[in-house]
Amino acid sequence: MDELAKIFEAAARGEFPPPDGGTTVLPQPAPRDAGVLALTGHAVVFADLPPEWIRRQLPPDDLGAPLGPPFLTALCARTGRKAGSIDVLLALPPEAGAAAHDPAFVSGLVETRDQSHPRVVRALAHRADVRVWTASGGGTVLTGRGVADRWEVAVEVDHTARGLGLGRALAAAARALVPADETLWAQVAPGNAASLRAFLAAGFVPVGAEVLLSPEESPR
């Protein structure tokens, strides 16, 4: 397990780096994955750049600098990548969430190979081993292996099915769709209150904030 994966697993257990205002700089766990993880009072930058250059860009008295526009702009310019959204990072450890999902609901999910859904298209850019299931009533849940090979989940609820608890049921069902001994991760935009409530109700807990850097698209 590489250092970034160890940090993720510790955070899922509620064990965090010291809130010292410092920044841990790590190499990318894979060519695909670069980004910034902000924890309480500590940041982790995973990018194949000289650590001294990264630290020069970060004012030592500004805890918000690692996710601030000046640093992210400099990081993107140096790496030739573009920053995605800044998301809340949530975790569901292996021992949590087992009682939250409904086995009957899980058994009713239908796996599909249709990769045309916009959420699936986005997932394929950041995850490996992506699998997709649909639920009657208008819901989609997908799993895949993302940053540092962690198991990740995303859900989508059709507009006509919102407000009925389907998002929570899909988020909870994901626990049964990945290996039982693996932590399950989710990234949710801070403004997406409905999705945040769904994942929290399913037992996920917030551990920090994260932004991923994607390669710039080649000109057409």
Side-chain angles (χ1 to χ4, degrees), residues 142-164:
L142 62 86
T143 63
R145 303 203 74 129
V147 178
D149 214 27
R150 69 192 181 194
W151 281 100
E152 299 178 349
V153 58
V155 303
E156 184 80 19
V157 176
D158 292 351
H159 178 73
T160 55
R162 292 175 184 172
L164 303 175

Side-chain angles (χ1 to χ4, degrees), residues 6-170:
K6 291 178 182 177
I7 290 173
F8 284 133
E9 282 304 306
R13 297 191 302 268
E15 302 168 7
F16 299 95
D20 54 7
T23 300
T24 297
V25 181
L26 298 174
Q28 293 170 215
R32 178 194 64 194
D33 300 324
V36 181
L37 169 67
L39 303 169
T40 301
H42 197 92
V44 180
V45 178
F46 44 103
D48 291 338
L49 294 174
E52 58 273 14
W53 179 88
I54 290 174
R55 292 193 172 92
R56 283 201 303 270
Q57 315 307 311
L58 296 170
D61 57 347
D62 185 354
L63 294 179
L67 289 182
F71 176 66
L72 293 181
T73 298
L75 192 60
C76 289
R78 184 69 183 259
T79 60
R81 292 176 173 239
K82 59 183 178 181
S85 63
I86 297 175
D87 292 327
V88 179
L89 183 64
L90 304 107
L92 186 68
E95 66 276 7
H101 71 267
D102 179 354
F105 179 83
V106 174
S107 65
L109 295 175
V110 177
E111 187 166 7
T112 175
R113 297 190 182 278
D114 180 10
Q115 298 184 339
S116 63
H117 192 289
R119 184 170 287 277
V120 179
V121 173
R122 291 197 299 272
L124 291 170
H126 296 287
R127 300 181 178 112
D129 302 325
V130 174
R131 298 177 67 185
V132 186
W133 292 262
T134 59
S136 60
T140 302
V141 57
L142 62 86
T143 63
R145 303 203 74 129
V147 178
D149 214 27
R150 69 192 181 194
W151 281 100
E152 299 178 349
V153 58
V155 303
E156 184 80 19
V157 176
D158 292 351
H159 178 73
T160 55
R162 292 175 184 172
L164 303 175
L166 183 55
R168 184 210 64 79
L170 289 167

Side-chain angles (χ1 to χ4, degrees), residues 206-219:
V207 299
E210 183 180 75
V211 59
L212 300 181
L213 308 181
S214 302
E216 290 280 6
E217 293 182 359
S218 301

